[in-house]
């Protein structure tokens, strides 16, 4: 297996990677890093949890150092990373700092929901790398607070989600402000037609990297618990208490639902906190910090708020409600099983959600095993699929050979 030393990254980057305890590159890193180092535009299908952030950050930092000359102040922006959410922007910046800790490059993060002025002040001082959400960035561009004449790299992270969230117009406006000569990198969990269309307008003969197309991370065990709608909360509390799940990320479809469930879990004696778009940025940051530090055991999140959350060693994800868009299921369960760790993704599915479940199973080309808990089963849900009788000892459902085959088939959507 390839090691990081075999990829020609500069010594300060190798040191930073070693500090993180990484020994071997993940598949997306092994494929994408050499292509980026060779100067190609790269379009990579890789979901969160595959190590994609390092896959673009490491070679980008390498190039920036090769070309680095002490410039007169202020510095000009040399790399722009666009992300769909504030949390992801913050996490990407954290990764840039982590991997660039032995380099004299500076970075800053730009997103809405917090004051403009501190961001403007930082930009005025000069910064090499900007990680931004499209809306606030456009605002700053229009105010003349940022310009990109020195830009060398554009990265679109989680591009599919940026399209889903309606950022396409903002992105197009931002593109008009960038120099034509630049290296473009685009990461997306899925390669939809819309993504390909977006890419064709941005990228210059991109090299394609596909790691696990529409695939869930291999080590995630998935289970469906058929349950009547009104019994979901009681079943969730029971699973959390009896299953000895120390940290659980629970997905809800709505902000209101997330608030309500958080209160109900509290009543059941389970410490929970909600994270969603109606919360202030400070409340979101605190919720995530409390969860990461183990102060609360359940984080109840909506899809958008949870996007990009990188929580180390998160073993359990619960879909309290299935998402309307099947791709969101892949994103949601990508929260667990991060960086090759084992994970369990449980979905509480009531009768009305059966069509959504079928769409998800079609997308991931896999039938998820059903587990019935006595007294909770929804007789109408989950029919016709083998049932797993060992709720506390789930086992992986597929062997390596099957995965391999599945990966090579085209995505028949
Ligand atoms: P990402 O897909 O970028 O969100 O990364 C997911 C997680 O994988 C993060 O917690 C990284 O710290 C971790 N990671 C990235 N690259 C490696 C690697 N080569 N070996 C082990 N862990 C890694």
């Amino acid at each position: 297996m390839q090691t990081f030393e075999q990829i020609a990254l500069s010594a300060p980057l190798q040191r930073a990677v070693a500090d993180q305890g990484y020994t071997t590159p993940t598949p997306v890193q092994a494929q994408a890093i050499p292509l980026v180092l060779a100067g190609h535009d790269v379009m990579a299908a890789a979901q969160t949890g595959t190590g994609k952030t390092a896959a673009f950050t490491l070679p980008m930092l390498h190039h920036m150092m090769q070309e680095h000359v002490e410039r007169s102040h202020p510095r000009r922006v040399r790399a722009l990373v666009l992300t769909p959410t504030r949390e992801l922007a913050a996490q990407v910046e954290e990764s840039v700092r982590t991997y660039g800790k032995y380099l004299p490059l500076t970075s800053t993060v730009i997103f809405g929901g917090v004051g403009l002025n501190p961001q403007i002040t930082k930009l005025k001082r000069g910064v090499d790398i900007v990680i931004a959400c499209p809306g606030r960035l456009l605002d700053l561009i229009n105010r003349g607070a940022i310009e990109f004449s020195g830009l060398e790299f554009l990265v679109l992270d989680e591009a599919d989600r940026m399209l889903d969230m309606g950022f396409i117009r903002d992105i197009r406006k931002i593109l008009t402000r960038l120099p034509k000569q630049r290296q473009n990198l685009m990461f997306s969990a899925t390669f939809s037609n819309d993504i390909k269309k977006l890419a064709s307008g941005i990228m210059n003969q991109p090299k394609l990297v596909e790691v696990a197309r529409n695939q869930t991370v291999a080590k995630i065990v998935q289970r469906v618990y058929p349950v009547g709608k009104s019994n979901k909360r009681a079943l969730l509390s029971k699973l959390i208490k009896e299953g000895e799940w120390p940290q659980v990320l629970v997905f809800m479809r709505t902000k209101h639902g997330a608030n309500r469930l958080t209160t109900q879990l509290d009543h059941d004696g389970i410490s929970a906190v909600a994270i969603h778009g109606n919360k202030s940025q400070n409340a979101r940051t605190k919720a995530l910090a409390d969860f990461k530090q183990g102060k609360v055991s359940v984080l109840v999140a909506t899809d958008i708020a949870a996007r990009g959350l990188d929580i180390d060693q998160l073993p359990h994800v619960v879909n309290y409600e299935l998402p309307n868009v099947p791709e969101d299921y892949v994103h949601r369960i990508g929260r667990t099983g991060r960086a090759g760790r084992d994970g369990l993704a449980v979905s509480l599915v009531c009768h009305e959600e059966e069509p959504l479940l079928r769409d998800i199973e079609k997308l991931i080309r896999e039938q998820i095993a059903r587990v019935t808990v006595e007294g909770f089963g929804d007789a109408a849900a989950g029919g016709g699929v083998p049932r797993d009788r060992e709720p506390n000892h789930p086992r992986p459902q597929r062997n390596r050979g099957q995965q391999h085959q599945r990966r090579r088939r085209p995505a028949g959507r």
Side-chain angles (χ1 to χ4, degrees), residues 232-290:
K232 279 193 178 187
R233 171 198 153 195
L235 176 59
L236 177 64
S237 292
K238 180 182 160 72
L239 290 172
I240 291 174
K241 285 181 178 164
E242 290 181 3
E244 296 172 8
W245 295 353
Q247 292 262 277
V248 191
L249 177 59
V250 177
F251 281 98
M252 300 296 290
R253 270 205 295 253
T254 65
K255 300 164 192 170
H256 180 63
N259 285 339
R260 202 177 43 213
L261 181 65
T262 305
T263 312
Q264 290 171 339
L265 287 172
D266 267 339
H267 284 156
D268 288 349
I270 297 168
S271 60
V273 64
I275 189 164
H276 56 65
N278 277 4
K279 300 255 173 190
S280 69
Q281 188 56 38
N282 282 346
R284 286 157 69 159
T285 307
K286 181 172 182 322
L288 187 58
D290 285 352

Side-chain angles (χ1 to χ4, degrees), residues 25-53:
T26 65
V28 68
Q29 291 164 2
Q31 291 183 55
I33 294 175
L35 292 171
V36 183
L37 288 178
H40 295 290
D41 279 10
V42 172
M43 195 174 155
Q47 66 203 58
T48 300
T50 54
K52 67 180 169 60
T53 315

Side-chain angles (χ1 to χ4, degrees), residues 39-43 182-185 202-207:
H40 295 290
D41 279 10
V42 172
M43 195 174 155
R182 52 168 206 257
Q183 193 172 351
N184 300 291
L185 313 175
I202 295 179
M203 313 197 79
N204 177 22
Q205 300 183 320
K207 298 280 181 196

